[in-house]
Amino acid sequence: MSTAAARVAALREQLARHDYRYYVLDDPEVPDAEYDRLMLELRALEAAHPELVSADSPTQRVSGKPGTEFDEVRHGVPMLSLDNAFADDDVVDFDRRVRERLKSTAEVEYCAEPKLDGLAISVRYERGEFVSTATRGDGTTGEDVSANARTIRSIPLRLRGDAPATVEIRGEVYMPFAGFRRLNAEAAAAGEKLFVNPRNAAAGALRQLDPAVTAKRPLAVYFYAAGEWRGGTEPDTQRRLLEQFNAWGLRTNPETRLVMGVAGCLAYYRALAARRESLAYQIDGVVYKVNRRADQDALGQVSRAPRWAVAHKFPADEALTTLRDVEFQVGRTGVLTPVARLEPVMVGGATVTNATLHNMDEIERKDVRIGDTVVIRRAGDVIPELVRSLPERRPRGAKRIVLPATCPVCGSAVAREEDEAAARCTGGFVCSAQRKESLRHFASRRALDIEGMGEKLIDQLVDRGMLATPADLFELKPEALAALERMGEKSADNVVAALERSKHTTLPRFLYALGIRDVGEATAASLAAHFGTLGALRAASVEQILEVPDVGPIIAAHVHGFFAAPANREVIERLQRSGVHWNEGPPVARAVGPLDGLTVVLTGTLASMTREQAGDALQAMGAKLGASVSKRTSYVVAGSDAGSKLKRAQELGIPVLDESGLAQLLRGERP
Ligand code: I6G
């Protein structure tokens, strides 16, 4: 496995974990910025290695891959995404690149719009008649949500006036704050679960299986771009495009303005940021688009984003609230994670009730006590974080947070190893929380991928004593499954069929599924490549395991210990007897190159080759590609219009190479 492939796997593993923590457990582990950083690195690697892009990569998810309930639709023209700018300087860089490419000395006219925090859709009209609506999906193929879209009043079923033979119109479905509050009030009155934020409520509404439910949800749309367009002439500016939309009876955002140059963009941004709270809907930034269509065409696009537009995001939102309590959740490997239970508070348009506190050290460091006023931060659609407490506002009687001596789930002793931040329940398989988490992990998509074996089903099976180890899964009888709550014969048969399908797997997946401590997808892949067969790995000594790239003494001890335990051996043997199998082969040699150990960041436009080509060549020689510049970066290769990364490299004193330096690297030299 190449270095790039291993890193891609490691990033996906981390992102999948963070997604799970955030979306499934509502118990995030890292701040948004860290999540964004991982995602950026993964995107850069995938851009440099298109062969590593897989449909299940988190970069491909966007608004989720098409579910089973909705048909897939291919967009006539792909739905692009936008590059993000966070700082003013990023906008300055964007504008400079635009002017350089257009060879324009004059200021460029931009069309500026609020960026709604909703869901992108594409509505197709033929001869003016509504034909279908699709979600963005992976940009090429989305889900057909036509039946639900038809229920949204701001999507006309027929365009007014003359319309082209075919036109796809892109926009954002959103739920205004007022509607969101009303919906949640109704849900609260009915004792139902509340929606976290308007965006999630809108997404849930659009993906309802019953359009009658969607119809009752207060959804609206603003349109902002065109996709496929056949017949008639396309307007020659973004502004005129929006006017054409209005003429057809399509809503466009009334806050849209034409602005001149970067100064105009930034002034628009500041003015809108100041009024953000008084808008009727949630926005997470503004979008600047080069106004002239001819200029847009001249600028073109890179990978999946136009060069003529950028999303300037608002900074993370913060809010104050009270820490009501801290509870400890038990994870798969027994780690106790403290979770802050908060007085509900709106942050960046979402109601936040939980935030992670990571571990006891973090609690100490932040000096957090129950009853404290705390700062909660949240950016865009990602993970809320407890930033700090305000000790100056500490009420009398604020309680210190103590690590429980026993596991809150099974009552076993809690141990905290010297030099380890994490505290763990020592109950192992006795602890039902660990058992459930292990089984969830075993069945999860990136492990054995047992469809339908979700959290609720596993909870029931464990609670009823029908399931204790992964080996029990394959001995479940359809009759027993059918007797469970919310199951029935058909679902039971589906689960049994999914179990049967999952039996054919790969060695890396199987090793990952076992849930050996600290063995994620990347390590599982390295172990599989190094040993080739399970038998060879099982028979390996700690020293032999240590020879695997990226495996240190701690992981080696965990792996060795896992296979030495008779109970684990028995589970594996039972799994194999049930028919779980994979292809085995000879060990795969790892490519070692002259640039092994170097991390290189590429930025700007290169004259001699594309960045992708340069990245491939560097990786083929053993270098790692970095997505951002840090102290660990070995070199930054800067092309002609390098921006913030070059600046960062200069700040950190990282060696910066031009194309002749790159050529040296590619000859295997280290300039
Ligand atoms: O995601 C988006 C939000 C808003 C957009 C967008 C937009 O214009 C106001 N425009 C384009 C061209 C794209 N995404 C690709």
Side-chain angles (χ1 to χ4, degrees):
M1 188 167 179
S2 74
T3 329
R7 182 63 189 151
V8 162
L11 286 166
R12 285 181 188 156
E13 178 192 313
Q14 289 181 51
L15 286 162
R17 189 177 71 235
H18 295 321
D19 277 344
Y20 176 68
R21 297 283 298 238
Y22 182 65
Y23 291 104
V24 183
L25 300 186
D26 195 15
D27 175 23
E29 186 183 309
V30 292
D32 314 336
E34 168 68 2
Y35 183 94
D36 291 348
R37 192 189 62 72
L38 297 170
M39 187 65 98
L40 266 164
E41 186 185 344
L42 180 58
R43 277 191 208 289
L45 271 174
E46 288 183 349
H49 295 271
E51 77 281 4
L52 296 179
V53 176
S54 65
D56 58 1
S57 171
T59 58
Q60 305 300 301
R61 180 150 40 195
V62 194
S63 49
K65 75 173 194 190
T68 43
E69 300 92 340
F70 295 98
D71 288 338
E72 288 184 13
V73 230
R74 225 182 142 73
H75 303 302
V77 166
M79 287 180 82
L80 304 178
S81 50
L82 293 178
D83 280 335
N84 288 328
F86 295 99
D88 287 2
D89 272 357
D90 299 335
V91 183
V92 172
D93 289 344
F94 162 74
D95 174 64
R96 199 190 48 243
R97 287 194 299 272
V98 165
R99 280 184 295 113
E100 278 174 8
R101 284 195 178 264
L102 294 178
K103 304 200 170 34
S104 158
T105 44
E107 286 195 323
V108 174
E109 186 175 48
Y110 293 101
C111 185
E113 286 186 54
K115 185 171 189 310
L116 268 79
D117 201 3
L119 244 94
I121 54 159
S122 180
V123 188
R124 190 179 177 87
Y125 291 91
E126 285 175 12
R127 285 169 299 280
E129 217 164 304
F130 173 100
V131 176
S132 60
T133 296
T135 60
R136 174 191 265 146
D138 64 6
T140 309
T141 307
E143 286 179 320
D144 183 348
V145 290
S146 307
N148 293 339
R150 279 173 169 278
T151 72
I152 302 173
R153 296 298 182 96
S154 44
I155 301 180
L157 294 176
R158 165 164 280 289
L159 299 178
R160 302 163 82 96
D162 285 337
T166 302
V167 64
E168 286 175 334
I169 302 181
R170 273 85 199 253
E172 200 89 353
V173 176
Y174 68 96
M175 189 177 286
F177 281 129
F180 171 69
R181 281 193 285 266
R182 196 177 69 234
L183 187 69
N184 260 355
E186 286 166 10
E192 290 163 9
K193 204 166 173 287
L194 302 189
F195 293 99
V196 203
N197 58 32
R199 185 186 186 284
N200 288 358
L206 196 64
R207 299 188 73 261
Q208 284 291 327
L209 291 177
D210 179 2
V213 177
T214 312
K216 289 199 207 111
R217 302 278 161 89
L219 296 177
V221 186
Y222 277 131
F223 292 98
Y224 53 64
E228 187 179 348
W229 186 309
R230 282 175 205 269
T233 23
E234 292 185 48
D236 59 357
T237 65
Q238 169 71 13
R239 185 67 196 218
R240 290 198 188 105
L241 176 71
L242 298 179
E243 283 164 6
Q244 175 64 75
F245 286 178
N246 291 152
W248 283 334
L250 299 166
R251 288 175 90 226
T252 63
N253 196 306
E255 303 288 345
T256 307
R257 298 285 179 273
L258 285 180
V259 298
M260 283 310 285
V262 75
C265 290
L266 295 178
Y268 177 85
Y269 175 87
R270 299 225 161 81
L272 204 66
R275 293 176 40 234
R276 183 179 179 190
E277 302 299 325
S278 62
L279 294 177
Y281 41 80
Q282 188 171 339
I283 63 173
D284 58 2
V286 303
V287 178
Y288 313 122
K289 296 181 179 175
V290 170
N291 192 39
R292 278 186 41 176
R293 175 63 197 258
D295 290 342
Q296 295 180 359
D297 291 343
L299 287 159
Q301 65 185 65
V302 248
S303 65
R304 295 151 140 251
R307 283 207 192 89
W308 43 268
V310 73
H312 190 181
K313 300 302 253 325
F314 291 138
D317 250 344
E318 292 190 349
L320 291 181
T321 189
T322 310
L323 178 62
R324 279 180 174 173
D325 198 5
V326 170
E327 285 170 18
F328 288 82
Q329 279 181 354
V330 185
R332 172 164 61 85
T333 55
V335 171
L336 264 65
T337 305
V339 180
R341 304 289 182 212
L342 307 163
E343 192 66 45
V345 62
M346 284 290 275
V347 195
T351 308
V352 174
T353 50
N354 300 321
T356 180
L357 281 162
H358 303 284
N359 53 51
M360 290 307 290
D361 287 349
E362 185 88 355
I363 291 176
E364 288 286 314
R365 196 173 60 73
K366 291 182 172 165
D367 182 23
V368 184
R369 301 202 194 158
I370 295 165
D372 272 358
T373 300
V374 291
V375 178
I376 302 298
R377 181 189 293 158
R378 184 179 163 275
D381 192 34
V382 270
I383 307 170
E385 180 198 8
L386 194 158
V387 186
R388 64 176 185 278
S389 72
L390 301 180
E392 63 276 17
R393 293 211 199 169
R394 178 164 293 154
R396 218 178 299 174
K399 267 191 7 215
R400 281 188 182 281
I401 297 154
V402 267
L403 179 70
T406 56
C407 170
V409 177
C410 71
S412 302
V414 167
R416 196 167 169 196
E417 281 162 42
E418 197 84 37
D419 296 335
E420 240 211 349
R424 284 172 205 276
C425 159
T426 54
F429 250 49
V430 170
C431 179
S432 67
Q434 289 186 54
R435 224 159 40 217
K436 286 173 182 174
E437 288 299 327
S438 305
L439 288 159
R440 260 171 225 152
H441 173 80
F442 186 85
S444 67
R445 206 160 51 84
R446 308 195 65 89
L448 272 253
D449 192 15
I450 309 173
E451 226 176 291
M453 189 54 69
E455 185 170 340
K456 297 237 162 62
L457 182 54
I458 289 175
D459 283 353
Q460 275 199 70
L461 289 167
V462 172
D463 291 341
R464 290 170 187 233
M466 293 164 70
L467 186 58
T469 79
D472 300 333
L473 282 167
F474 297 95
E475 289 162 18
L476 289 168
K477 298 279 173 290
E479 311 82 66
L481 283 166
L484 296 171
E485 274 166 38
R486 288 189 297 262
M487 276 303 275
E489 244 167 67
K490 186 152 186 301
S491 312
D493 287 345
N494 287 343
V495 169
V496 171
L499 278 162
E500 205 47 46
R501 280 196 303 277
S502 74
K503 285 181 182 172
H504 179 65
T505 185
T506 64
L507 183 55
R509 269 180 184 265
F510 184 73
L511 291 176
Y512 171 65
L514 291 176
I516 306 166
R517 203 163 135 192
D518 295 330
V519 176
E521 274 176 287
T523 309
S526 298
L527 288 167
H530 185 89
F531 288 101
T533 66
L534 183 70
L537 172 58
R538 217 163 23 184
S541 64
V542 172
E543 290 68 32
Q544 287 168 326
I545 299 173
L546 268 169
E547 285 166 19
V548 178
D550 301 329
V551 170
I554 296 177
I555 297 185
H558 288 158
V559 173
H560 187 261
F562 183 92
F563 288 110
N568 293 334
R569 283 176 171 265
E570 194 202 310
V571 166
I572 293 172
E573 277 153 25
R574 271 177 65 205
L575 284 168
Q576 289 183 301
R577 278 203 299 277
S578 297
V580 176
H581 65 284
W582 52 85
N583 292 334
E584 297 199 325
V588 183
R590 189 174 79 111
V592 185
L595 303 184
D596 242 6
L598 291 188
T599 302
V600 182
V601 173
L602 297 167
T603 182
T605 309
L606 303 171
S608 56
M609 61 182 93
T610 65
R611 279 216 300 261
E612 235 166 66
Q613 290 165 333
D616 283 345
L618 289 167
Q619 283 184 307
M621 298 179 72
K624 250 170 65 177
L625 283 191
S628 58
V629 181
S630 75
K631 280 186 289 198
R632 284 190 291 280
T633 306
S634 318
Y635 296 103
V636 171
V637 175
S640 61
D641 49 2
S644 53
K645 287 182 190 163
L646 173 58
K647 217 170 96 192
R648 178 100 181 115
Q650 286 158 347
E651 282 163 12
L652 293 176
I654 308 291
V656 176
L657 305 179
D658 58 11
E659 297 213 44
S660 64
L662 172 63
Q664 273 182 289
L665 279 179
L666 294 178
R667 287 195 299 270
E669 296 163 20
R670 300 182 176 211

